[in-house]
Amino acid sequence: MKALMMTQYGDVNTSLAFQTVAKPQISNNQVLIKTHAASINPIDYKVLRGDMKAFSKLTFPAGIGRDVSGVVAEIGSNVKGLAIGDEVFSRVAEPYAGTLAEYAVSDADHIVKKPNNLSHEEAASIPLVGLTAYQALIDIAKLQSGEKVLIHAGSGGLGTVAIQLAKSLGAFVATTTSTANVDLVKRIGADQVIDYKTENYLNEVKDFDVVFDTLGGNYTADAFKVIKMGGRVVSVSGELDGQTTKNLGLSFFIRGLLALKARKVTKAAEQKKALYRFVLMSPNGQQLSALADLYVANTITPVIDSVYKFDNSVEAFNSLVKGRAKGKIVINFVD
């Protein structure tokens, strides 16, 4: 089968190549999916450039991509509730990363049947960002109706889902975005929009219950300036917290180095008696099914920036790296 493969650590243009590889073999608890669409995420190019080497080193060539929507092609002997020909979507587990290929493997319990009101491109845009938002806002932050949440970068792939999910929970949602995207984030439900090109969000929000930090850097530490005492800060780009480093199984030495690196954030959290957690998203079929129900009800609608043909996947990654996508960038394998 044809697959886009990572050939070495490096940038998009020098380290990705199309190759012919063997069609994956599945275990008794897995499903082989004929890919109709896949979406790409910042984690893909971060792995490619070597940002995750401290946690897991790659053996090259290695597959790329974690989101997939397609049709069931083969089923493991232990799998129940799915049949060949079913339309499904999934965020595959890390050992099976490689959805930018004609076939993808997923554990059966990470798979959900595709809602009829969604195209494969729309379904492929959901899993990673949807599960990240769900686990950040519901599992960790435990966002409640009537609470106030600040979501950074509201027009991005993650932000557009997080805004809509937070609104479905009954929260007041503030978000940051550029002038060009103000109308978009208002349209999907943001109650307060801060145009970072003309406004400083630190002057516009205060005493918030939750900050969802999607940017990292100074935004992580500054989040504690806008939450109330006892608030919660959840990040996908900031420093790793102690619980996350334990969950990753890192050595005591590495955990110590990361704790030193996170001192500024840890101190800020202590001063506000606040929760700080880094989101380490895990594939979860039950949560993905709950998200699918929200899409069926049109409580959340997909926001897609652009769709590229499979042969133009490198071009798609170049667009993603620029960081200006409005919603998700999707790869089409069929049309």
Side-chain angles (χ1 to χ4, degrees):
M1 69 173 186
K2 184 178 180 180
L4 185 68
M5 304 294 286
M6 298 183 286
T7 59
Q8 61 185 0
Y9 288 117
D11 62 40
V12 168
N13 293 303
T14 61
S15 303
L16 290 175
F18 287 102
Q19 296 183 353
T20 299
V21 300
K23 187 166 71 172
Q25 300 296 308
I26 60 171
S27 72
N28 294 337
N29 298 308
Q30 293 180 326
V31 171
L32 185 69
I33 300 169
K34 172 64 174 175
T35 307
H36 281 225
S39 72
I40 57 178
N41 299 278
I43 183 66
D44 297 318
Y45 67 72
K46 290 178 181 179
V47 168
L48 176 65
R49 70 190 185 194
D51 293 7
M52 310 300 174
K53 280 193 288 187
F55 311 120
S56 178
K57 290 186 177 180
L58 295 175
T59 300
F60 297 106
I64 191 168
R66 290 153 174 81
D67 288 334
V68 64
S69 181
V71 175
V72 173
E74 295 178 20
I75 299 175
S77 59
N78 294 337
V79 176
K80 307 297 182 184
L82 291 172
I84 292 175
D86 282 348
E87 295 185 321
V88 296
F89 68 121
S90 176
R91 195 291 193 186
V92 304
E94 282 302 308
Y96 312 107
T99 59
L100 292 187
E102 293 178 314
Y103 290 89
V105 172
S106 177
D107 293 332
D109 58 0
H110 297 158
I111 290 175
V112 174
K113 290 184 179 179
K114 181 183 74 65
N116 292 331
N117 66 326
L118 295 180
S119 67
H120 282 292
E121 289 87 353
E122 290 170 331
S125 76
I126 297 168
L128 189 147
V129 292
L131 288 170
T132 301
Y134 190 104
Q135 292 169 19
L137 297 177
I138 296 178
D139 290 352
I140 299 175
K142 302 189 186 305
L143 184 65
Q144 302 295 311
S145 179
E147 290 191 317
K148 297 190 294 184
V149 58
L150 171 64
I151 297 170
H152 281 299
S155 63
L158 177 55
T160 52
V161 176
I163 288 171
Q164 296 180 82
L165 180 61
K167 287 301 297 180
S168 78
L169 297 171
F172 175 93
V173 180
T175 191
T176 57
T177 193
S178 66
T179 308
N181 298 324
V182 168
D183 288 343
L184 167 63
V185 296
K186 284 183 177 179
R187 188 168 67 250
I188 61 174
D191 298 291
Q192 180 181 0
V193 181
I194 300 114
D195 180 350
Y196 68 76
K197 289 186 176 292
T198 61
E199 300 171 291
N200 183 344
Y201 78 94
L202 293 172
N203 298 328
E204 304 298 327
V205 296
K206 64 178 180 179
D207 295 328
F208 269 51
D209 299 281
V210 176
V211 172
F212 187 21
D213 164 39
T214 65
L215 297 173
N218 291 334
Y219 288 93
T220 310
D222 286 346
F224 297 94
K225 297 177 181 178
V226 303
I227 59 168
K228 66 182 184 181
M229 191 67 67
R232 293 94 79 194
V233 176
V234 188
S235 179
V236 294
S237 297
E239 306 297 344
L240 297 182
D241 63 276
Q243 184 61 50
T244 300
T245 60
K246 288 181 182 178
N247 293 344
L248 285 169
L250 302 179
S251 69
F252 180 79
F253 176 72
I254 295 296
R255 284 163 51 194
L257 290 177
L258 291 172
L260 286 173
K261 190 169 181 286
R263 279 185 302 179
K264 183 177 179 180
V265 171
T266 302
K267 183 178 179 180
E270 290 173 350
Q271 289 174 340
K272 276 290 182 76
K273 301 185 186 307
L275 169 76
Y276 172 73
R277 285 289 303 277
F278 183 91
V279 186
L280 193 65
M281 193 282 298
S282 300
N284 186 306
Q286 289 184 333
Q287 292 177 348
L288 189 57
S289 180
L291 285 164
D293 289 341
L294 294 175
Y295 283 87
V296 169
N298 290 316
T299 302
I300 303 179
T301 57
V303 180
I304 294 178
D305 175 89
S306 50
V307 178
Y308 289 80
K309 293 186 181 299
F310 181 37
D311 287 343
N312 298 327
S313 295
V314 174
E315 182 183 345
F317 271 107
N318 276 313
S319 179
L320 179 67
V321 170
K322 293 176 182 176
R324 300 193 184 101
K326 299 178 183 180
K328 290 299 299 292
I329 295 174
V330 178
I331 310 298
N332 179 287
F333 285 71
V334 178
D335 297 332

mmCIF file with all atom_site columns, all heavy atoms in Angstrom, residues 161-183:
data_model
loop_
_atom_site.group_PDB
_atom_site.id
_atom_site.type_symbol
_atom_site.label_atom_id
_atom_site.label_alt_id
_atom_site.label_comp_id
_atom_site.label_asym_id
_atom_site.label_entity_id
_atom_site.label_seq_id
_atom_site.pdbx_PDB_ins_code
_atom_site.Cartn_x
_atom_site.Cartn_y
_atom_site.Cartn_z
_atom_site.occupancy
_atom_site.B_iso_or_equiv
_atom_site.pdbx_formal_charge
_atom_site.auth_seq_id
_atom_site.auth_comp_id
_atom_site.auth_asym_id
_atom_site.auth_atom_id
_atom_site.pdbx_PDB_model_num
ATOM 1   N N   . VAL A 1 161 ? -13.263 23.354 18.403 1.00 0.00 ? 161 VAL A N   1
ATOM 2   C CA  . VAL A 1 161 ? -13.998 22.293 19.099 1.00 0.00 ? 161 VAL A CA  1
ATOM 3   C C   . VAL A 1 161 ? -14.194 22.660 20.566 1.00 0.00 ? 161 VAL A C   1
ATOM 4   O O   . VAL A 1 161 ? -15.285 22.489 21.122 1.00 0.00 ? 161 VAL A O   1
ATOM 5   C CB  . VAL A 1 161 ? -13.259 20.947 18.979 1.00 0.00 ? 161 VAL A CB  1
ATOM 6   C CG1 . VAL A 1 161 ? -13.982 19.876 19.791 1.00 0.00 ? 161 VAL A CG1 1
ATOM 7   C CG2 . VAL A 1 161 ? -13.156 20.510 17.537 1.00 0.00 ? 161 VAL A CG2 1
ATOM 8   N N   . ALA A 1 162 ? -13.142 23.176 21.204 1.00 0.00 ? 162 ALA A N   1
ATOM 9   C CA  . ALA A 1 162 ? -13.213 23.487 22.630 1.00 0.00 ? 162 ALA A CA  1
ATOM 10  C C   . ALA A 1 162 ? -14.269 24.540 22.929 1.00 0.00 ? 162 ALA A C   1
ATOM 11  O O   . ALA A 1 162 ? -14.997 24.445 23.928 1.00 0.00 ? 162 ALA A O   1
ATOM 12  C CB  . ALA A 1 162 ? -11.842 23.941 23.131 1.00 0.00 ? 162 ALA A CB  1
ATOM 13  N N   . ILE A 1 163 ? -14.367 25.568 22.080 1.00 0.00 ? 163 ILE A N   1
ATOM 14  C CA  . ILE A 1 163 ? -15.396 26.598 22.280 1.00 0.00 ? 163 ILE A CA  1
ATOM 15  C C   . ILE A 1 163 ? -16.782 25.970 22.267 1.00 0.00 ? 163 ILE A C   1
ATOM 16  O O   . ILE A 1 163 ? -17.609 26.212 23.160 1.00 0.00 ? 163 ILE A O   1
ATOM 17  C CB  . ILE A 1 163 ? -15.293 27.680 21.187 1.00 0.00 ? 163 ILE A CB  1
ATOM 18  C CG1 . ILE A 1 163 ? -14.047 28.551 21.399 1.00 0.00 ? 163 ILE A CG1 1
ATOM 19  C CG2 . ILE A 1 163 ? -16.545 28.563 21.190 1.00 0.00 ? 163 ILE A CG2 1
ATOM 20  C CD1 . ILE A 1 163 ? -13.763 29.501 20.245 1.00 0.00 ? 163 ILE A CD1 1
ATOM 21  N N   . GLN A 1 164 ? -17.045 25.145 21.277 1.00 0.00 ? 164 GLN A N   1
ATOM 22  C CA  . GLN A 1 164 ? -18.377 24.555 21.141 1.00 0.00 ? 164 GLN A CA  1
ATOM 23  C C   . GLN A 1 164 ? -18.676 23.563 22.260 1.00 0.00 ? 164 GLN A C   1
ATOM 24  O O   . GLN A 1 164 ? -19.809 23.491 22.765 1.00 0.00 ? 164 GLN A O   1
ATOM 25  C CB  . GLN A 1 164 ? -18.506 23.887 19.777 1.00 0.00 ? 164 GLN A CB  1
ATOM 26  C CG  . GLN A 1 164 ? -18.418 24.868 18.619 1.00 0.00 ? 164 GLN A CG  1
ATOM 27  C CD  . GLN A 1 164 ? -18.544 24.175 17.272 1.00 0.00 ? 164 GLN A CD  1
ATOM 28  O OE1 . GLN A 1 164 ? -19.645 23.883 16.809 1.00 0.00 ? 164 GLN A OE1 1
ATOM 29  N NE2 . GLN A 1 164 ? -17.412 23.886 16.652 1.00 0.00 ? 164 GLN A NE2 1
ATOM 30  N N   . LEU A 1 165 ? -17.673 22.804 22.686 1.00 0.00 ? 165 LEU A N   1
ATOM 31  C CA  . LEU A 1 165 ? -17.870 21.860 23.784 1.00 0.00 ? 165 LEU A CA  1
ATOM 32  C C   . LEU A 1 165 ? -18.151 22.611 25.078 1.00 0.00 ? 165 LEU A C   1
ATOM 33  O O   . LEU A 1 165 ? -19.055 22.233 25.848 1.00 0.00 ? 165 LEU A O   1
ATOM 34  C CB  . LEU A 1 165 ? -16.649 20.961 23.939 1.00 0.00 ? 165 LEU A CB  1
ATOM 35  C CG  . LEU A 1 165 ? -16.725 19.916 25.053 1.00 0.00 ? 165 LEU A CG  1
ATOM 36  C CD1 . LEU A 1 165 ? -17.883 18.950 24.816 1.00 0.00 ? 165 LEU A CD1 1
ATOM 37  C CD2 . LEU A 1 165 ? -15.400 19.147 25.158 1.00 0.00 ? 165 LEU A CD2 1
ATOM 38  N N   . ALA A 1 166 ? -17.392 23.676 25.335 1.00 0.00 ? 166 ALA A N   1
ATOM 39  C CA  . ALA A 1 166 ? -17.600 24.469 26.546 1.00 0.00 ? 166 ALA A CA  1
ATOM 40  C C   . ALA A 1 166 ? -18.989 25.085 26.562 1.00 0.00 ? 166 ALA A C   1
ATOM 41  O O   . ALA A 1 166 ? -19.663 25.120 27.600 1.00 0.00 ? 166 ALA A O   1
ATOM 42  C CB  . ALA A 1 166 ? -16.530 25.550 26.660 1.00 0.00 ? 166 ALA A CB  1
ATOM 43  N N   . LYS A 1 167 ? -19.440 25.567 25.407 1.00 0.00 ? 167 LYS A N   1
ATOM 44  C CA  . LYS A 1 167 ? -20.793 26.131 25.331 1.00 0.00 ? 167 LYS A CA  1
ATOM 45  C C   . LYS A 1 167 ? -21.845 25.054 25.591 1.00 0.00 ? 167 LYS A C   1
ATOM 46  O O   . LYS A 1 167 ? -22.873 25.324 26.221 1.00 0.00 ? 167 LYS A O   1
ATOM 47  C CB  . LYS A 1 167 ? -21.029 26.781 23.965 1.00 0.00 ? 167 LYS A CB  1
ATOM 48  C CG  . LYS A 1 167 ? -20.300 28.088 23.754 1.00 0.00 ? 167 LYS A CG  1
ATOM 49  C CD  . LYS A 1 167 ? -20.677 29.148 24.782 1.00 0.00 ? 167 LYS A CD  1
ATOM 50  C CE  . LYS A 1 167 ? -22.141 29.540 24.697 1.00 0.00 ? 167 LYS A CE  1
ATOM 51  N NZ  . LYS A 1 167 ? -22.495 30.577 25.718 1.00 0.00 ? 167 LYS A NZ  1
ATOM 52  N N   . SER A 1 168 ? -21.615 23.842 25.121 1.00 0.00 ? 168 SER A N   1
ATOM 53  C CA  . SER A 1 168 ? -22.574 22.763 25.343 1.00 0.00 ? 168 SER A CA  1
ATOM 54  C C   . SER A 1 168 ? -22.694 22.422 26.825 1.00 0.00 ? 168 SER A C   1
ATOM 55  O O   . SER A 1 168 ? -23.721 21.887 27.261 1.00 0.00 ? 168 SER A O   1
ATOM 56  C CB  . SER A 1 168 ? -22.168 21.507 24.555 1.00 0.00 ? 168 SER A CB  1
ATOM 57  O OG  . SER A 1 168 ? -21.118 20.796 25.194 1.00 0.00 ? 168 SER A OG  1
ATOM 58  N N   . LEU A 1 169 ? -21.657 22.748 27.596 1.00 0.00 ? 169 LEU A N   1
ATOM 59  C CA  . LEU A 1 169 ? -21.666 22.507 29.042 1.00 0.00 ? 169 LEU A CA  1
ATOM 60  C C   . LEU A 1 169 ? -22.309 23.662 29.803 1.00 0.00 ? 169 LEU A C   1
ATOM 61  O O   . LEU A 1 169 ? -22.467 23.588 31.021 1.00 0.00 ? 169 LEU A O   1
ATOM 62  C CB  . LEU A 1 169 ? -20.233 22.293 29.547 1.00 0.00 ? 169 LEU A CB  1
ATOM 63  C CG  . LEU A 1 169 ? -19.496 21.075 28.971 1.00 0.00 ? 169 LEU A CG  1
ATOM 64  C CD1 . LEU A 1 169 ? -18.026 21.105 29.365 1.00 0.00 ? 169 LEU A CD1 1
ATOM 65  C CD2 . LEU A 1 169 ? -20.156 19.778 29.437 1.00 0.00 ? 169 LEU A CD2 1
ATOM 66  N N   . GLY A 1 170 ? -22.651 24.743 29.093 1.00 0.00 ? 170 GLY A N   1
ATOM 67  C CA  . GLY A 1 170 ? -23.288 25.888 29.732 1.00 0.00 ? 170 GLY A CA  1
ATOM 68  C C   . GLY A 1 170 ? -22.332 26.926 30.261 1.00 0.00 ? 170 GLY A C   1
ATOM 69  O O   . GLY A 1 170 ? -22.727 27.798 31.049 1.00 0.00 ? 170 GLY A O   1
ATOM 70  N N   . ALA A 1 171 ? -21.072 26.878 29.832 1.00 0.00 ? 171 ALA A N   1
ATOM 71  C CA  . ALA A 1 171 ? -20.078 27.831 30.316 1.00 0.00 ? 171 ALA A CA  1
ATOM 72  C C   . ALA A 1 171 ? -20.127 29.139 29.531 1.00 0.00 ? 171 ALA A C   1
ATOM 73  O O   . ALA A 1 171 ? -20.597 29.188 28.396 1.00 0.00 ? 171 ALA A O   1
ATOM 74  C CB  . ALA A 1 171 ? -18.671 27.224 30.216 1.00 0.00 ? 171 ALA A CB  1
ATOM 75  N N   . PHE A 1 172 ? -19.613 30.208 30.159 1.00 0.00 ? 172 PHE A N   1
ATOM 76  C CA  . PHE A 1 172 ? -19.342 31.472 29.475 1.00 0.00 ? 172 PHE A CA  1
ATOM 77  C C   . PHE A 1 172 ? -17.952 31.348 28.875 1.00 0.00 ? 172 PHE A C   1
ATOM 78  O O   . PHE A 1 172 ? -16.983 31.051 29.585 1.00 0.00 ? 172 PHE A O   1
ATOM 79  C CB  . PHE A 1 172 ? -19.385 32.638 30.466 1.00 0.00 ? 172 PHE A CB  1
ATOM 80  C CG  . PHE A 1 172 ? -19.006 33.970 29.874 1.00 0.00 ? 172 PHE A CG  1
ATOM 81  C CD1 . PHE A 1 172 ? -19.978 34.829 29.375 1.00 0.00 ? 172 PHE A CD1 1
ATOM 82  C CD2 . PHE A 1 172 ? -17.675 34.372 29.808 1.00 0.00 ? 172 PHE A CD2 1
ATOM 83  C CE1 . PHE A 1 172 ? -19.633 36.058 28.825 1.00 0.00 ? 172 PHE A CE1 1
ATOM 84  C CE2 . PHE A 1 172 ? -17.317 35.599 29.258 1.00 0.00 ? 172 PHE A CE2 1
ATOM 85  C CZ  . PHE A 1 172 ? -18.304 36.437 28.766 1.00 0.00 ? 172 PHE A CZ  1
ATOM 86  N N   . VAL A 1 173 ? -17.841 31.559 27.567 1.00 0.00 ? 173 VAL A N   1
ATOM 87  C CA  . VAL A 1 173 ? -16.588 31.297 26.859 1.00 0.00 ? 173 VAL A CA  1
ATOM 88  C C   . VAL A 1 173 ? -15.982 32.591 26.324 1.00 0.00 ? 173 VAL A C   1
ATOM 89  O O   . VAL A 1 173 ? -16.616 33.308 25.543 1.00 0.00 ? 173 VAL A O   1
ATOM 90  C CB  . VAL A 1 173 ? -16.793 30.320 25.690 1.00 0.00 ? 173 VAL A CB  1
ATOM 91  C CG1 . VAL A 1 173 ? -15.478 30.069 24.960 1.00 0.00 ? 173 VAL A CG1 1
ATOM 92  C CG2 . VAL A 1 173 ? -17.382 29.008 26.190 1.00 0.00 ? 173 VAL A CG2 1
ATOM 93  N N   . ALA A 1 174 ? -14.752 32.863 26.748 1.00 0.00 ? 174 ALA A N   1
ATOM 94  C CA  . ALA A 1 174 ? -13.948 33.922 26.151 1.00 0.00 ? 174 ALA A CA  1
ATOM 95  C C   . ALA A 1 174 ? -12.836 33.266 25.352 1.00 0.00 ? 174 ALA A C   1
ATOM 96  O O   . ALA A 1 174 ? -12.352 32.184 25.704 1.00 0.00 ? 174 ALA A O   1
ATOM 97  C CB  . ALA A 1 174 ? -13.350 34.830 27.221 1.00 0.00 ? 174 ALA A CB  1
ATOM 98  N N   . THR A 1 175 ? -12.434 33.915 24.269 1.00 0.00 ? 175 THR A N   1
ATOM 99  C CA  . THR A 1 175 ? -11.370 33.344 23.456 1.00 0.00 ? 175 THR A CA  1
ATOM 100 C C   . THR A 1 175 ? -10.513 34.433 22.848 1.00 0.00 ? 175 THR A C   1
ATOM 101 O O   . THR A 1 175 ? -10.955 35.573 22.688 1.00 0.00 ? 175 THR A O   1
ATOM 102 C CB  . THR A 1 175 ? -11.942 32.440 22.342 1.00 0.00 ? 175 THR A CB  1
ATOM 103 O OG1 . THR A 1 175 ? -10.879 31.696 21.732 1.00 0.00 ? 175 THR A OG1 1
ATOM 104 C CG2 . THR A 1 175 ? -12.659 33.262 21.274 1.00 0.00 ? 175 THR A CG2 1
ATOM 105 N N   . THR A 1 176 ? -9.280  34.067 22.522 1.00 0.00 ? 176 THR A N   1
ATOM 106 C CA  . THR A 1 176 ? -8.380  34.978 21.826 1.00 0.00 ? 176 THR A CA  1
ATOM 107 C C   . THR A 1 176 ? -8.247  34.518 20.375 1.00 0.00 ? 176 THR A C   1
ATOM 108 O O   . THR A 1 176 ? -8.233  33.319 20.081 1.00 0.00 ? 176 THR A O   1
ATOM 109 C CB  . THR A 1 176 ? -6.986  34.998 22.472 1.00 0.00 ? 176 THR A CB  1
ATOM 110 O OG1 . THR A 1 176 ? -6.451  33.657 22.489 1.00 0.00 ? 176 THR A OG1 1
ATOM 111 C CG2 . THR A 1 176 ? -7.062  35.514 23.903 1.00 0.00 ? 176 THR A CG2 1
ATOM 112 N N   . THR A 1 177 ? -8.154  35.492 19.477 1.00 0.00 ? 177 THR A N   1
ATOM 113 C CA  . THR A 1 177 ? -7.973  35.179 18.061 1.00 0.00 ? 177 THR A CA  1
ATOM 114 C C   . THR A 1 177 ? -7.501  36.438 17.355 1.00 0.00 ? 177 THR A C   1
ATOM 115 O O   . THR A 1 177 ? -7.422  37.511 17.967 1.00 0.00 ? 177 THR A O   1
ATOM 116 C CB  . THR A 1 177 ? -9.277  34.644 17.442 1.00 0.00 ? 177 THR A CB  1
ATOM 117 O OG1 . THR A 1 177 ? -8.995  34.070 16.160 1.00 0.00 ? 177 THR A OG1 1
ATOM 118 C CG2 . THR A 1 177 ? -10.318 35.747 17.300 1.00 0.00 ? 177 THR A CG2 1
ATOM 119 N N   . SER A 1 178 ? -7.191  36.322 16.071 1.00 0.00 ? 178 SER A N   1
ATOM 120 C CA  . SER A 1 178 ? -6.774  37.493 15.296 1.00 0.00 ? 178 SER A CA  1
ATOM 121 C C   . SER A 1 178 ? -7.994  38.172 14.692 1.00 0.00 ? 178 SER A C   1
ATOM 122 O O   . SER A 1 178 ? -9.098  37.608 14.644 1.00 0.00 ? 178 SER A O   1
ATOM 123 C CB  . SER A 1 178 ? -5.812  37.083 14.176 1.00 0.00 ? 178 SER A CB  1
ATOM 124 O OG  . SER A 1 178 ? -6.479  36.269 13.232 1.00 0.00 ? 178 SER A OG  1
ATOM 125 N N   . THR A 1 179 ? -7.793  39.374 14.195 1.00 0.00 ? 179 THR A N   1
ATOM 126 C CA  . THR A 1 179 ? -8.894  40.165 13.632 1.00 0.00 ? 179 THR A CA  1
ATOM 127 C C   . THR A 1 179 ? -9.654  39.395 12.559 1.00 0.00 ? 179 THR A C   1
ATOM 128 O O   . THR A 1 179 ? -10.892 39.426 12.513 1.00 0.00 ? 179 THR A O   1
ATOM 129 C CB  . THR A 1 179 ? -8.344  41.472 13.024 1.00 0.00 ? 179 THR A CB  1
ATOM 130 O OG1 . THR A 1 179 ? -7.533  42.141 13.996 1.00 0.00 ? 179 THR A OG1 1
ATOM 131 C CG2 . THR A 1 179 ? -9.462  42.380 12.575 1.00 0.00 ? 179 THR A CG2 1
ATOM 132 N N   . ALA A 1 180 ? -8.930  38.685 11.708 1.00 0.00 ? 180 ALA A N   1
ATOM 133 C CA  . ALA A 1 180 ? -9.560  37.984 10.585 1.00 0.00 ? 180 ALA A CA  1
ATOM 134 C C   . ALA A 1 180 ? -10.499 36.870 11.026 1.00 0.00 ? 180 ALA A C   1
ATOM 135 O O   . ALA A 1 180 ? -11.356 36.438 10.243 1.00 0.00 ? 180 ALA A O   1
ATOM 136 C CB  . ALA A 1 180 ? -8.480  37.407 9.669  1.00 0.00 ? 180 ALA A CB  1
ATOM 137 N N   . ASN A 1 181 ? -10.347 36.391 12.277 1.00 0.00 ? 181 ASN A N   1
ATOM 138 C CA  . ASN A 1 181 ? -11.125 35.236 12.721 1.00 0.00 ? 181 ASN A CA  1
ATOM 139 C C   . ASN A 1 181 ? -12.177 35.566 13.777 1.00 0.00 ? 181 ASN A C   1
ATOM 140 O O   . ASN A 1 181 ? -12.797 34.653 14.327 1.00 0.00 ? 181 ASN A O   1
ATOM 141 C CB  . ASN A 1 181 ? -10.172 34.167 13.272 1.00 0.00 ? 181 ASN A CB  1
ATOM 142 C CG  . ASN A 1 181 ? -9.201  33.670 12.215 1.00 0.00 ? 181 ASN A CG  1
ATOM 143 O OD1 . ASN A 1 181 ? -9.561  33.547 11.054 1.00 0.00 ? 181 ASN A OD1 1
ATOM 144 N ND2 . ASN A 1 181 ? -7.975  33.405 12.622 1.00 0.00 ? 181 ASN A ND2 1
ATOM 145 N N   . VAL A 1 182 ? -12.372 36.853 14.037 1.00 0.00 ? 182 VAL A N   1
ATOM 146 C CA  . VAL A 1 182 ? -13.337 37.254 15.063 1.00 0.00 ? 182 VAL A CA  1
ATOM 147 C C   . VAL A 1 182 ? -14.731 36.739 14.734 1.00 0.00 ? 182 VAL A C   1
ATOM 148 O O   . VAL A 1 182 ? -15.432 36.173 15.585 1.00 0.00 ? 182 VAL A O   1
ATOM 149 C CB  . VAL A 1 182 ? -13.338 38.791 15.237 1.00 0.00 ? 182 VAL A CB  1
ATOM 150 C CG1 . VAL A 1 182 ? -14.541 39.238 16.069 1.00 0.00 ? 182 VAL A CG1 1
ATOM 151 C CG2 . VAL A 1 182 ? -12.038 39.250 15.890 1.00 0.00 ? 182 VAL A CG2 1
ATOM 152 N N   . ASP A 1 183 ? -15.168 36.910 13.499 1.00 0.00 ? 183 ASP A N   1
ATOM 153 C CA  . ASP A 1 183 ? -16.514 36.481 13.113 1.00 0.00 ? 183 ASP A CA  1
ATOM 154 C C   . ASP A 1 183 ? -16.683 34.970 13.247 1.00 0.00 ? 183 ASP A C   1
ATOM 155 O O   . ASP A 1 183 ? -17.750 34.486 13.655 1.00 0.00 ? 183 ASP A O   1
ATOM 156 C CB  . ASP A 1 183 ? -16.831 36.919 11.681 1.00 0.00 ? 183 ASP A CB  1
ATOM 157 C CG  . ASP A 1 183 ? -17.055 38.424 11.567 1.00 0.00 ? 183 ASP A CG  1
ATOM 158 O OD1 . ASP A 1 183 ? -17.287 39.068 12.611 1.00 0.00 ? 183 ASP A OD1 1
ATOM 159 O OD2 . ASP A 1 183 ? -16.980 38.956 10.439 1.00 0.00 ? 183 ASP A OD2 1
#
